[in-house]
Amino acid sequence: MCFPGVPVLRALTALLFVSQCWGGCVEVDSMTEAVVGQGFKLGCISCKRRGEVPAEAHVQWSYQAKGETEFTELYHYENMMPYNMHDQFKDRLAWNGSKNTVDLQDGSLYILNVSLNDSGVYLCQFYRTLLMSNHKYNVNASKLIELTVVEDANRELTSIISEIMMYVTIVGLQLWMIVILIYCYKKITSAGEEATKDGEPLDGKEDNCTALQVEE
């Protein structure tokens, strides 16, 4: 074979697949900057530590407007039913978390048509009950999100770095393919020269690189 790196790639692919299957829930921090007139996802994930234990959970969102000192009830989700509890956000909130289950792990909320007045602090609270065989155990978790609303989007440093890394990866893969093609071409040329010298047909000396030979 002319692709000595293939077994390594297969191993990396298998490792990636295993890592994805190992944990179905990953806690990721929410973004904190929204743009006027656009939608915005308030991310709130609370992974269940005992995956084998059935559970029930409900999520309570609260909102503290900019300049205010107290939180007011914003949104409640329980038994797969949403409840919008804030007049400022009437018809602008949508559940963006776990669906078709009472065992919630994702309590994210989506704000439609963001306005400047939506700036402030958002509190996400998980109330989870683990259903043990002989008793129930309550586990609570909370997350704070300080949201800033701007009129124009500002590119964050992380997004710029991610884009640069994406282009670097693409260029690297292209260079790797060029090296492999050159290697295969040399193998084919060498095999052809040996066959010509020995007076033997080339068929017996072909390898998988032949498939990559460019038609002239």
Side-chain angles (χ1 to χ4, degrees), residues 71-104:
F71 283 92
T72 56
E73 293 181 328
L74 174 65
Y75 194 90
H76 188 82
Y77 189 88
E78 185 173 6
N79 293 324
M80 296 183 285
M81 292 294 296
Y83 302 93
N84 189 337
M85 308 170 71
H86 204 293
D87 291 337
Q88 176 181 325
F89 296 87
K90 185 178 181 180
D91 299 326
R92 293 199 299 121
L93 296 179
W95 178 251
N96 199 225
S98 303
K99 295 178 174 61
N100 302 321
T101 179
V102 295
D103 189 359
L104 306 176

Side-chain angles (χ1 to χ4, degrees), residues 8 33 45 73-74 87 136 151 172 188:
V8 177
E33 184 177 279
I45 298 176
E73 293 181 328
L74 174 65
D87 291 337
K136 295 182 179 180
E151 295 186 357
I188 295 170

Side-chain angles (χ1 to χ4, degrees), residues 5-40:
V6 169
V8 177
L9 291 176
R10 288 177 178 172
L12 291 174
T13 302
L15 181 61
L16 178 60
F17 177 77
V18 170
S19 65
Q20 288 176 339
C21 295
W22 185 263
C25 178
V26 179
E27 296 188 8
V28 181
D29 291 336
S30 174
M31 301 293 288
T32 58
E33 184 177 279
V35 181
V36 172
Q38 298 184 12
F40 182 80

Side-chain angles (χ1 to χ4, degrees), residues 14 26 34 41 44 49 84 106 112 118 133 142 152-153 159 179 203:
V26 179
K41 179 180 178 179
C44 181
R49 304 306 177 189
N84 189 337
D106 187 349
L112 302 169
D118 296 339
S133 58
S142 62
D152 298 310
S159 67
V179 171
D203 295 341

Side-chain angles (χ1 to χ4, degrees), residues 4 12 48 97 103 119 132 136 157 190 195 199 206 208:
L12 291 174
K48 186 174 61 175
D103 189 359
S119 294
M132 304 292 190
K136 295 182 179 180
L157 179 61
S190 176
E206 284 187 275
N208 293 334

